[in-house]
Amino acid sequence: MRVLVTGAGGFLGRTVTAKLVRNDHEVIALVRPGGSDVSAERVRLVKADITDASQLRDALRGANFDAVVHLAALTKMRESDSAFEQYQEVNASGTSAMLSAIDNELVPHVVYASTIAVYGPDCPEPTEDSLTDPRNPYAESKLRGEELLRAAAEQGQCRVTTLRCGNIAGGFRDVYDVNGSHIIPRVLESARSGKPVPVNGAGDAVRDYVHVEDVADAINLVFTKDEAKSSTYNVGSGQGVSVNDILTTAEAVTCIDIAVDRKPAVNETKYIVPNSSRIHDELQWTPARSSLARIIRDAWSALEIASV
């Protein structure tokens, strides 16, 4: 199968591309001009702006792909509060542009990486049937992407599988998360530099962290599902992890004492861990690598490899 991967130069994108190739798929890797390159056998690199439908259409004309994995997005949740228009342009309008560009390609299946943030802070253990209540521009833009894809599916343009992911972390080979707003990269960078890592309040906020390889495996599994209907799945480890847990585990993995700069507490929900039983039951997907120790060990290893 020939698969278009948008956002192929990102943390999840590079991992998904490698996994698709490993599973004997051909990949068309779409990256933004000036973005990270993706080089591997059975990968064709295409550079285009995800928000420019005309540019995308020209870049993808005649590519003859069978499916799309749509990962291109801005992902810094707190940054989005001061960049509403930019997040709408890339995450929502970019999805619309992608749909416009593939309109004549007869693509049967689009897999979309969304986020559990679409449920909002008042749903601590959301299922796919929980009401959505996005509270920041990042979550709003991702939900808008879902709505655009759902409309395309209802109009018969394609089938859509939406994966609402927890906090994607870990590492794959030399691929690591460069998003400095995420807590695990911040903690590991502190281990390397010796600079204190800022922690808000008591460090007891609990979230779900899922290994990047497990998410990539979920995407690969979706392509084995032949049913005609569109679907939505939560993709998480099912285990709550606090900031203090991350600090303690990172010290054990790195054998380095990590300095902490305690900041005032912020107004945030203390516990959010999605229910991912649907994808377990329907696709037999298991987050095999998503223990906190494995996530941090693989993130540390990828960071070390990439820094050599």
Coordinates of all heavy atoms in Angstrom, one line a residue, residues 11 169-177 184-185 187-188 211-213 245-255 288-306:
F11 N 8.1 14.3 15.3 CA 8.4 13.2 16.3 C 7.6 11.9 16.0 O 8.1 10.8 15.7 CB 8.1 13.7 17.7 CG 8.3 12.7 18.8 CD1 9.4 11.8 18.8 CD2 7.3 12.6 19.8 CE1 9.5 10.9 19.9 CE2 7.5 11.7 20.9 CZ 8.6 10.8 20.9
A169 N 5.1 10.2 24.0 CA 6.4 10.4 24.6 C 7.3 9.2 24.2 O 7.0 8.4 23.3 CB 6.3 10.5 26.1
G170 N 8.5 9.1 24.8 CA 9.4 8.0 24.5 C 10.4 8.4 23.4 O 10.7 9.6 23.2
G171 N 10.9 7.4 22.6 CA 11.9 7.7 21.6 C 11.9 6.5 20.7 O 11.5 5.4 21.1
F172 N 12.5 6.7 19.5 CA 12.6 5.6 18.5 C 13.9 5.8 17.8 O 14.0 6.7 17.0 CB 11.4 5.6 17.6 CG 11.5 4.5 16.5 CD1 11.5 3.2 16.8 CD2 11.6 4.9 15.1 CE1 11.6 2.2 15.7 CE2 11.7 4.0 14.1 CZ 11.7 2.7 14.4
R173 N 14.9 4.9 18.0 CA 16.2 5.0 17.4 C 16.7 6.4 17.8 O 16.9 6.6 19.0 CB 16.1 4.8 15.9 CG 15.6 3.5 15.4 CD 15.4 3.4 13.9 NE 14.9 2.1 13.5 CZ 14.4 1.9 12.3 NH1 14.4 2.9 11.4 NH2 14.0 0.7 12.0
D174 N 17.0 7.3 16.8 CA 17.5 8.6 17.2 C 16.4 9.7 17.1 O 16.7 10.9 17.1 CB 18.6 9.0 16.2 CG 18.2 9.1 14.8 OD1 17.1 8.6 14.4 OD2 18.9 9.8 14.0
V175 N 15.1 9.2 17.1 CA 14.0 10.1 17.0 C 13.5 10.4 18.4 O 13.1 9.5 19.2 CB 12.9 9.5 16.2 CG1 11.7 10.5 16.1 CG2 13.4 9.2 14.8
Y176 N 13.5 11.7 18.8 CA 13.1 12.0 20.2 C 12.2 13.3 20.1 O 12.2 14.0 19.0 CB 14.3 12.3 21.1 CG 15.1 13.5 20.7 CD1 15.0 14.7 21.3 CD2 16.2 13.3 19.8 CE1 15.8 15.8 20.9 CE2 17.0 14.4 19.4 CZ 16.8 15.6 20.0 OH 17.6 16.6 19.6
D177 N 11.5 13.6 21.1 CA 10.6 14.7 21.2 C 11.3 16.0 21.4 O 11.9 16.2 22.5 CB 9.5 14.5 22.3 CG 8.4 15.5 22.3 OD1 8.4 16.4 21.4 OD2 7.6 15.5 23.2
I184 N 8.5 15.6 29.8 CA 9.6 14.6 29.8 C 10.8 15.1 29.1 O 11.9 15.0 29.6 CB 9.1 13.3 29.2 CG1 8.1 12.6 30.2 CG2 10.2 12.3 28.8 CD1 7.5 11.3 29.7
P185 N 10.7 15.8 27.9 CA 11.9 16.4 27.3 C 12.5 17.5 28.2 O 13.7 17.6 28.2 CB 11.3 17.1 26.0 CG 10.1 16.2 25.7 CD 9.5 15.8 27.0
V187 N 12.5 17.5 31.5 CA 13.2 16.8 32.6 C 14.5 16.2 32.1 O 15.6 16.3 32.8 CB 12.3 15.7 33.2 CG1 13.1 14.8 34.1 CG2 11.2 16.3 34.0
L188 N 14.5 15.6 30.9 CA 15.7 15.0 30.4 C 16.8 16.0 30.0 O 18.0 15.8 30.1 CB 15.4 14.0 29.2 CG 14.5 12.8 29.6 CD1 14.3 11.9 28.4 CD2 15.2 12.0 30.8
H211 N 3.7 5.6 24.6 CA 4.9 5.5 23.8 C 4.7 5.8 22.3 O 3.7 5.3 21.7 CB 5.5 4.2 24.0 CG 7.0 4.1 23.6 ND1 7.5 4.2 22.4 CD2 8.1 3.9 24.4 CE1 8.8 4.1 22.4 NE2 9.2 3.9 23.6
V212 N 5.6 6.6 21.7 CA 5.4 7.0 20.3 C 5.4 5.7 19.4 O 4.6 5.7 18.4 CB 6.6 7.9 19.9 CG1 7.9 7.2 20.0 CG2 6.3 8.5 18.5
E213 N 6.1 4.7 19.7 CA 6.0 3.4 19.0 C 4.7 2.8 19.1 O 4.2 2.2 18.1 CB 7.1 2.5 19.3 CG 8.5 2.8 18.8 CD 9.4 1.6 18.8 OE1 9.2 0.7 18.1 OE2 10.3 1.6 19.7
D245 N 6.3 11.4 39.6 CA 6.7 10.1 39.1 C 7.7 10.2 38.0 O 8.7 9.4 37.9 CB 5.4 9.4 38.5 CG 4.4 9.0 39.6 OD1 4.8 8.8 40.8 OD2 3.2 8.9 39.3
I246 N 7.5 11.2 37.1 CA 8.4 11.4 36.0 C 9.8 11.7 36.5 O 10.8 11.2 36.1 CB 7.9 12.5 35.0 CG1 6.7 12.0 34.3 CG2 9.0 12.9 34.0 CD1 5.9 13.0 33.5
L247 N 9.9 12.6 37.5 CA 11.2 13.0 38.1 C 11.9 11.9 38.7 O 13.1 11.6 38.5 CB 10.9 14.2 39.1 CG 10.5 15.5 38.6 CD1 10.0 16.4 39.7 CD2 11.7 16.2 37.9
T248 N 11.2 11.1 39.5 CA 11.8 10.0 40.2 C 12.3 8.9 39.2 O 13.4 8.4 39.3 CB 10.7 9.3 41.1 OG1 10.3 10.3 42.1 CG2 11.3 8.1 41.9
T249 N 11.5 8.6 38.2 CA 11.8 7.6 37.2 C 13.0 8.1 36.3 O 13.9 7.3 36.0 CB 10.6 7.3 36.3 OG1 9.5 6.8 37.1 CG2 11.0 6.1 35.3
A250 N 13.0 9.4 36.0 CA 14.1 9.9 35.2 C 15.4 9.8 36.0 O 16.5 9.6 35.4 CB 13.8 11.4 34.8
E251 N 15.4 10.1 37.2 CA 16.6 10.0 38.0 C 17.1 8.5 38.1 O 18.3 8.3 38.0 CB 16.4 10.5 39.5 CG 16.2 12.0 39.5 CD 16.1 12.5 41.0 OE1 15.6 11.7 41.8 OE2 16.5 13.7 41.2
A252 N 16.2 7.6 38.2 CA 16.6 6.2 38.2 C 17.1 5.7 36.8 O 18.1 5.0 36.8 CB 15.4 5.3 38.5
V253 N 16.6 6.2 35.7 CA 17.0 5.8 34.4 C 18.4 6.5 34.1 O 19.3 5.8 33.6 CB 16.0 6.2 33.3 CG1 16.5 6.1 31.9 CG2 14.7 5.3 33.5
T254 N 18.5 7.7 34.4 CA 19.7 8.5 34.0 C 20.8 8.4 35.0 O 22.0 8.7 34.7 CB 19.4 9.9 33.8 OG1 19.0 10.5 35.0 CG2 18.3 10.1 32.7
C255 N 20.5 7.9 36.2 CA 21.5 7.9 37.4 C 22.0 9.3 37.6 O 23.2 9.5 38.0 CB 22.6 7.0 37.1 SG 22.1 5.2 36.9
A288 N 2.2 -1.8 24.5 CA 3.2 -2.7 25.1 C 4.5 -2.0 25.6 O 5.2 -2.5 26.5 CB 3.6 -3.7 24.0
R289 N 4.8 -0.8 25.1 CA 6.0 -0.1 25.5 C 5.7 1.1 26.4 O 6.6 1.9 26.7 CB 6.7 0.4 24.3 CG 7.0 -0.7 23.2 CD 7.5 0.0 22.0 NE 7.7 -1.0 20.9 CZ 6.6 -1.4 20.1 NH1 5.4 -0.8 20.3 NH2 6.8 -2.2 19.1
S290 N 4.5 1.3 26.9 CA 4.1 2.5 27.6 C 4.2 2.5 29.1 O 3.6 3.4 29.7 CB 2.7 2.9 27.1 OG 2.6 3.3 25.8
S291 N 5.0 1.7 29.6 CA 5.4 1.9 31.1 C 6.2 3.1 31.1 O 7.0 3.5 30.2 CB 6.1 0.7 31.6 OG 7.4 0.6 31.0
L292 N 6.1 3.8 32.3 CA 6.9 5.1 32.4 C 8.4 4.8 32.3 O 9.1 5.6 31.6 CB 6.6 5.8 33.7 CG 7.2 7.1 34.0 CD1 6.9 8.1 32.9 CD2 6.9 7.6 35.3
A293 N 8.9 3.7 32.9 CA 10.3 3.5 32.8 C 10.8 3.2 31.4 O 11.8 3.7 30.9 CB 10.6 2.2 33.7
R294 N 10.0 2.5 30.6 CA 10.3 2.3 29.2 C 10.3 3.6 28.4 O 11.2 3.8 27.6 CB 9.4 1.2 28.6 CG 9.6 1.0 27.1 CD 10.9 0.3 26.7 NE 11.0 0.2 25.3 CZ 10.6 -0.9 24.6 NH1 10.0 -1.9 25.2 NH2 10.8 -1.0 23.3
I295 N 9.3 4.4 28.6 CA 9.2 5.6 27.9 C 10.4 6.5 28.1 O 11.0 7.0 27.2 CB 7.9 6.4 28.3 CG1 6.6 5.7 27.7 CG2 7.9 7.9 28.0 CD1 5.3 6.3 28.1
I296 N 10.8 6.7 29.4 CA 11.9 7.5 29.7 C 13.2 6.9 29.3 O 14.1 7.6 28.8 CB 11.9 7.9 31.2 CG1 10.7 8.8 31.5 CG2 13.2 8.6 31.6 CD1 10.5 9.2 33.0
R297 N 13.3 5.6 29.4 CA 14.6 5.0 29.0 C 14.8 5.2 27.4 O 15.9 5.5 27.0 CB 14.5 3.5 29.3 CG 15.8 2.7 28.9 CD 15.8 1.4 29.6 NE 14.8 0.5 29.0 CZ 13.8 0.1 29.7 NH1 13.6 0.4 31.0 NH2 12.9 -0.7 29.1
D298 N 13.7 5.0 26.7 CA 13.8 5.1 25.2 C 14.0 6.6 24.8 O 14.7 6.9 23.8 CB 12.6 4.5 24.5 CG 12.6 3.0 24.6 OD1 13.6 2.4 25.1 OD2 11.6 2.4 24.1
A299 N 13.4 7.5 25.5 CA 13.6 8.9 25.2 C 15.0 9.3 25.5 O 15.6 10.1 24.7 CB 12.6 9.8 26.1
W300 N 15.5 8.9 26.6 CA 16.9 9.2 27.0 C 17.9 8.6 26.0 O 18.9 9.2 25.6 CB 17.2 8.6 28.4 CG 18.6 8.9 28.9 CD1 19.5 8.0 29.2 CD2 19.1 10.2 29.3 NE1 20.7 8.6 29.7 CE2 20.4 9.9 29.8 CE3 18.6 11.5 29.3 CZ2 21.3 11.0 30.3 CZ3 19.4 12.5 29.8 CH2 20.7 12.3 30.3
S301 N 17.6 7.3 25.6 CA 18.5 6.7 24.6 C 18.5 7.4 23.3 O 19.6 7.7 22.6 CB 18.1 5.2 24.4 OG 18.8 4.6 23.4
A302 N 17.3 7.8 22.8 CA 17.2 8.5 21.5 C 17.9 9.9 21.6 O 18.6 10.3 20.6 CB 15.7 8.7 21.1
L303 N 17.8 10.5 22.7 CA 18.4 11.8 22.9 C 20.0 11.7 22.9 O 20.7 12.5 22.3 CB 18.0 12.5 24.2 CG 18.5 13.9 24.6 CD1 18.1 14.9 23.5 CD2 18.0 14.3 25.9
E304 N 20.5 10.6 23.5 CA 21.9 10.4 23.6 C 22.4 10.0 22.2 O 23.5 10.5 21.7 CB 22.2 9.2 24.5 CG 21.9 9.6 26.0 CD 23.0 10.5 26.6 OE1 24.0 9.9 27.0 OE2 22.8 11.7 26.6
I305 N 21.7 9.2 21.4 CA 22.1 8.8 20.1 C 22.2 10.0 19.2 O 23.1 10.2 18.4 CB 21.2 7.7 19.5 CG1 21.3 6.4 20.3 CG2 21.4 7.5 18.0 CD1 20.2 5.4 19.9
A306 N 21.1 10.8 19.2 CA 21.0 12.0 18.3 C 22.1 13.0 18.7 O 22.5 13.8 17.8 CB 19.7 12.6 18.5

